[in-house]
Amino acid sequence: MLKSSMIYGALFILVAGTFACGDSEDSQDEQPEAESLVEVVDGWTAELTARSAPLAAGAETFVIELHEANEGVQPETFEVEAWMPAHGHGTMKPTEIEAVDTGVYEAVVTFSMPGDWELRVDADDRRFVFDVEVSP
Amino acid sequence: MKRGTSTRAGLALCTFLVLLPQTGSGQPCCSASSAGEAGVVGRCHYAMLSTSLGIEHGLGFTDTEGEFQPYQSTRSSDAILTIAGGFRPFDQRFRVGAAMPFRGQYRAGGEDSATALRPGDLALSTGFLVLEDPMTGLDSAVPFVEPYVASTLATGVSPDQSSDPLGADTTSQGASTLSLGLKVIKFVTPSHAIRVSGEYRYAFSYSVHSRDDRIQLQPGPALEGVLGWTYEGSIFWSVGLQARLTFRDELQHEDEPIPGSEMRRLYTGLTYRHALRFPYWDLTASGGQDMLLGKNTIRSGLTFMLGIQRNFL
């Protein structure tokens, strides 16, 4: 009797732990629409817009627009890097960038996992940092 | 003490020493993904060889605020084949061991999915039993006390070396570690034993690729505590429970801590051991979860393991 009780007790702890972390109601939330994030550095404005929302692990496309005094501005160098500060790594696949207009770029970022990421946009000597959340 | 009781208690200790660490295999932050303290030969054995197949099924992750985030479009499942061995050279109180995991990992996110098979981090450990419990219960205050040194070598694939977009081939954080620990086991009755252990883990710095440069990251030191209990029903079977709590301090870059990068993980599990051919062959099964009270874990979920072990007297 004692042996059975102990085994059932152990199983209960495991099972209770499992279901305590099961699906929550939050996972059924409606999907938000894509919003733009804006950062200003040294007179330049960078606007980041995701093609879809919420962001998910895998490939995601962003549009990045650079402005100076409401005019599109064309930097000499332009790079985008995704970085996960809490885990100390970037993406496994390099971000693909395509210039589509003056100061307008399309970037395909492949997030390797969900969580909090930084999108670091370097335009000439300016760095714009956008905090984005990749949903589970 | 009667010979039967002593033998039973001795086997319980061996089982305890050998099996508990094996249930801790996995993640990495990152855990990721190492074999933990494995390849531990039992006190009454001269050597051991084991192989085990583990399953780690991710159900979510805990974010930097400590909230568990259940997977919606993400999928993560791992199969881990671990080969381990250990023996006691020179002195019956001294042990050395090693464990090598091979990980088959499936990752999916959105429309993408990938599977890869890669080696994990090689784990090494050595310990010396300085005190021995007579295993008669609480009429003696002397427990088993074993200081140990353990290490993991970053033989797995780090995120920096990964070539898979979803990191299915990532089996290591990329940092080797060196640990100092103390394990204390007390038989409160000839059949029931309690384990308490503590470990300090230092991780060596590693470099990662960022843009066109390489940057050096220093993982924070980690503290790990284990509380366990085992019950031996007979010489042919035993069952144990354990809880293992790990804290890792923040990552550092150029001596500056990275906010939110500290990690906390609580693993709870159950282990069952069955003697297939006493005392040489043991079958072990374990299961556990690490979804409660975590913080900044890359993935959390359920783990199961089935292993077979050959003991040498």
Side-chain angles (χ1 to χ4, degrees), chain B residues 41-241:
Chain B
V41 61
R43 184 185 68 99
C44 50
H45 298 146
Y46 170 70
M48 60 79 80
L49 286 172
S50 71
T51 183
S52 64
L53 182 64
I55 302 293
E56 294 178 5
H57 184 62
L59 293 174
F61 71 98
T62 47
D63 61 21
T64 53
E65 303 297 321
E67 291 289 323
F68 182 77
Q69 304 284 351
Y71 284 156
Q72 297 168 30
S73 60
T74 305
R75 296 290 178 268
S76 166
S77 293
D78 300 357
I80 307 106
L81 176 70
T82 302
I83 298 169
F87 70 113
R88 294 186 173 276
F90 315 125
D91 190 304
Q92 185 65 17
R93 294 170 294 177
F94 179 62
R95 65 165 179 84
V96 294
M100 184 69 205
F102 298 89
R103 304 180 66 94
Q105 302 186 151
Y106 169 76
R107 301 282 181 269
E111 306 279 312
D112 306 316
S113 65
T115 304
L117 176 63
R118 298 288 186 276
D121 287 347
L122 174 65
L124 306 168
S125 70
T126 181
F128 191 87
L129 202 58
V130 294
L131 284 179
E132 296 195 43
D133 187 344
M135 298 175 287
T136 54
L138 292 176
D139 55 345
S140 166
V142 180
F144 288 97
V145 176
E146 187 197 59
Y148 64 89
V149 179
S151 177
T152 57
L153 305 180
T155 52
V157 179
S158 70
D160 202 46
Q161 299 167 317
S162 170
S163 59
D164 181 78
L166 294 175
D169 59 351
T170 304
T171 58
S172 170
Q173 184 189 16
S176 296
T177 66
L178 183 64
S179 304
L180 293 176
L182 186 69
K183 189 187 307 179
V184 178
I185 297 168
K186 178 60 189 168
F187 274 76
V188 293
T189 75
S191 299
H192 293 266
I194 302 294
R195 166 185 167 164
V196 179
S197 67
E199 179 176 313
Y200 172 84
R201 186 177 306 143
Y202 174 82
F204 295 92
S205 65
Y206 62 102
S207 66
V208 295
H209 189 86
S210 174
R211 292 283 168 73
D212 297 326
D213 298 326
R214 296 195 72 78
I215 62 172
Q216 201 75 10
L217 290 178
Q218 174 64 59
L223 289 175
E224 185 170 286
V226 176
L227 178 63
W229 160 83
T230 193
Y231 171 75
E232 196 206 356
S234 75
I235 59 172
F236 298 107
W237 70 273
S238 63
V239 63
L241 286 172

Side-chain angles (χ1 to χ4, degrees), chain B residues 247-265:
Chain B
F247 289 101
R248 193 202 63 209
D249 207 352
E250 294 166 313
L251 281 169
Q252 291 197 355
H253 175 226
E254 295 178 341
D255 295 327
E256 289 293 325
I258 299 173
S261 60
E262 66 272 22
M263 186 277 292
R264 180 180 66 226
R265 183 188 298 275

Side-chain angles (χ1 to χ4, degrees), chain A residues 56-104:
Chain A
E60 291 284 2
T61 303
F62 296 88
V63 174
I64 301 150
E65 298 180 55
L66 297 174
H67 303 277
E68 184 177 29
N70 294 324
E71 293 288 327
V73 61
Q74 186 70 46
E76 291 184 10
T77 61
F78 183 83
E79 292 180 275
V80 178
E81 179 187 44
W83 191 257
M84 203 169 200
H87 297 153
H89 62 74
T91 55
M92 284 56 178
K93 183 178 182 181
T95 297
E96 299 166 11
I97 302 170
E98 182 184 357
V100 294
D101 203 345
T102 302
V104 181

